[in-house]
Amino acid sequence: MSTETNNELKWYVIHTYSGYENKVKTNIEKLVENSNMGELIPEVSVPVEEVVEVKNGKKKVVQRKLFPGYVLVKMIMNDDTWYVVRNTRGVTSFVGPGSKPVALTESEVLAMGLESVDIADIDLKPGDSVTVTTGAFADSVGTVKEVNINKKTVTVAISMFGRETPMELDFTQVQLLD
């Protein structure tokens, strides 16, 4: 089995036995530590959200897994890292067609809250012309109307059917035109 070797750190999704997510995370972290692969597999994540449950009339804040049966791994994909993760107890497979792992896109990673955009990298201001890079309106050109640093979004006016339509997009979905 030869995987596409890439020297870029990307997030991959692995499927696990249900209820084994934390055990798989711990096992991968131990294997990475024991085989000195910290630079190749720096992060393993089981995303959770805090929810309020009411039991016996008492409110209790509990952590619930966002993606039961899945663990997210940030890694450089090569034959060695694939082998370590794939052969970890509790892992059933990588998510992707056949046995070929597919990395999450940058917008998926941001939407899941695994990473965030560095605000210093955003150099957009109202009046700038931008191209939409992903989504249904990819390759559309628009004008920045508003930048919301807190929500990490930008409102772009795109000309559709002869009128300007404002659209709220992620920072990662637009690119400044030169």
Side-chain angles (χ1 to χ4, degrees):
M1 146 81 222
S2 181
T3 59
E4 177 185 322
T5 301
N6 191 335
N7 291 334
E8 213 178 322
L9 278 171
K10 290 189 182 264
W11 283 97
Y12 293 87
V13 181
I14 52 176
H15 193 259
T16 67
Y17 294 122
S18 193
Y20 279 74
E21 301 88 355
N22 292 328
K23 193 176 291 264
V24 165
K25 176 185 188 310
T26 306
N27 288 345
I28 291 174
E29 288 170 344
K30 279 184 189 156
L31 286 165
V32 166
E33 191 180 322
N34 293 342
S35 53
N36 293 323
M37 291 181 132
E39 290 172 12
L40 299 174
I41 307 176
E43 202 171 338
V44 184
S45 176
V46 179
V48 292
E49 64 180 344
E50 288 193 346
V51 290
V52 177
E53 284 184 356
V54 179
K55 277 192 179 171
N56 302 330
K58 291 192 174 96
K59 285 185 181 178
K60 184 178 170 188
V61 177
V62 295
Q63 289 194 331
R64 186 170 60 197
K65 292 179 186 84
L66 283 174
F67 313 109
Y70 296 94
V71 174
L72 304 163
V73 182
K74 186 174 190 175
M75 61 191 281
I76 292 175
M77 183 60 69
N78 63 34
D79 288 344
D80 295 336
T81 57
W82 181 90
Y83 185 85
V84 165
V85 172
R86 181 64 190 88
N87 291 297
T88 299
R89 218 174 134 105
V91 172
T92 56
S93 64
F94 273 95
V95 172
S99 57
K100 188 168 170 46
V102 174
L104 293 173
T105 64
E106 195 173 326
S107 56
E108 288 169 332
V109 167
L110 292 166
M112 290 178 168
L114 293 169
E115 292 179 6
S116 60
V117 177
D118 185 2
I119 303 305
D121 293 346
I122 303 305
D123 192 21
L124 296 173
K125 59 193 176 306
D128 284 347
S129 290
V130 293
T131 304
V132 179
T133 55
T134 61
F137 297 97
D139 300 326
S140 299
V141 175
T143 307
V144 174
K145 293 296 180 195
E146 188 184 334
V147 178
N148 186 329
I149 299 288
N150 296 335
K151 286 174 65 182
K152 296 180 176 59
T153 60
V154 60
T155 302
V156 178
I158 295 176
S159 182
M160 258 188 291
F161 311 117
R163 63 167 48 156
E164 277 200 345
T165 305
M167 300 185 69
E168 190 176 65
L169 301 166
D170 252 23
F171 284 161
T172 58
Q173 291 181 283
V174 294
Q175 189 172 17
L176 193 59
L177 284 175
D178 295 329

